[in-house]
Amino acid sequence: MTTHTDDTTGVEYAPEQPARLEWAKHAPEVYKAMVRLEIAARQGLDHKLYELVKIRASQINHCAFCIDMHTKDALASGESVERIVQLSAWEESRHFYTAKEIAALELTEAVTVLTGGTSQAFGSGGGFVPDEVYDNAAKHFEEAELAQVIAAITAINAWNRFGVTCRMTPGYYEPGQYK
């Protein structure tokens, strides 16, 4: 584990934990398939909505690497700091988001947390996506776009599992690095 000190303040930070496994190096065909899935999943989606979904799922899953990546990509594409900061409490700050984005965030939470639930609004959980969450998303998205949103949510959840399990280290990603 390495530590670093802020050159301007002299503050020493906690040591950085090393990654457990460079999974992509050891499973290159799986990594290539995941990249193809990712490219296909984002087709036709509004980039800001796509990044909001990615960040929110990564927050729920505690994937620091993916939070770092998608926050940086969102900022680079013009997303506001304020909307990103409020994303972890979007239910209390709905006025920062469109009805369509709220529907996508509700769906993201329901798909991401199938067995519990973080959503106070719908109590998502029980191993399924509640009808009211799905129906609300279906009101805001045409079927093809809804399928893409579901694919994007599914893809980021898979990426999060790799990131959290292998303890991928955040902080080194450059916007657009993997595009």
Side-chain angles (χ1 to χ4, degrees):
M1 288 194 255
T2 59
T3 60
H4 71 279
T5 304
D6 185 312
D7 294 336
T8 59
T9 64
V11 173
E12 186 173 317
Y13 292 95
E16 180 179 292
Q17 294 186 344
R20 290 178 174 152
L21 175 70
E22 293 181 50
W23 76 270
K25 176 177 147 186
H26 298 288
E29 293 307 312
V30 175
Y31 177 76
K32 290 175 192 172
M34 286 295 301
V35 169
R36 288 191 304 271
L37 172 63
E38 184 65 36
I39 291 167
R42 72 174 165 234
Q43 296 300 312
L45 290 181
D46 173 76
H47 190 69
K48 286 185 178 183
L49 181 126
Y50 165 84
E51 292 298 347
L52 291 174
V53 163
K54 297 291 188 171
I55 295 166
R56 185 62 191 132
S58 299
Q59 289 172 336
I60 294 166
N61 290 322
H62 303 280
C63 185
F65 182 85
C66 293
I67 292 169
D68 179 56
M69 173 191 296
H70 293 290
T71 298
K72 288 175 179 174
D73 282 345
L75 288 168
S77 69
E79 184 57 84
S80 76
V81 171
E82 192 168 41
R83 282 170 35 103
I84 293 170
V85 168
Q86 291 300 319
L87 196 52
S88 65
W90 67 268
E91 289 174 306
E92 290 79 30
S93 25
R94 290 172 170 262
H95 60 283
F96 287 96
Y97 307 100
T98 67
K100 188 173 186 175
E101 289 168 338
I102 290 169
L105 293 171
E106 289 170 349
L107 187 61
T108 298
E109 292 208 10
V111 172
T112 300
V113 187
L114 291 173
T115 60
T118 59
S119 177
Q120 295 171 6
F122 296 105
S124 65
F128 62 93
V129 174
D131 288 341
E132 59 269 21
V133 172
Y134 184 87
D135 292 344
N136 188 43
K139 284 189 333 192
H140 293 282
F141 295 94
E142 293 181 12
E143 285 185 344
E145 188 179 20
L146 181 57
Q148 292 300 126
V149 171
I150 294 167
I153 296 166
T154 301
I156 191 58
N157 275 281
W159 285 117
N160 290 165
R161 273 36 176 201
F162 287 116
V164 170
T165 303
C166 298
R167 195 187 291 135
M168 295 174 67
T169 308
Y172 300 101
Y173 178 77
E174 296 293 326
Q177 182 176 335
Y178 296 124
K179 298 217 182 223

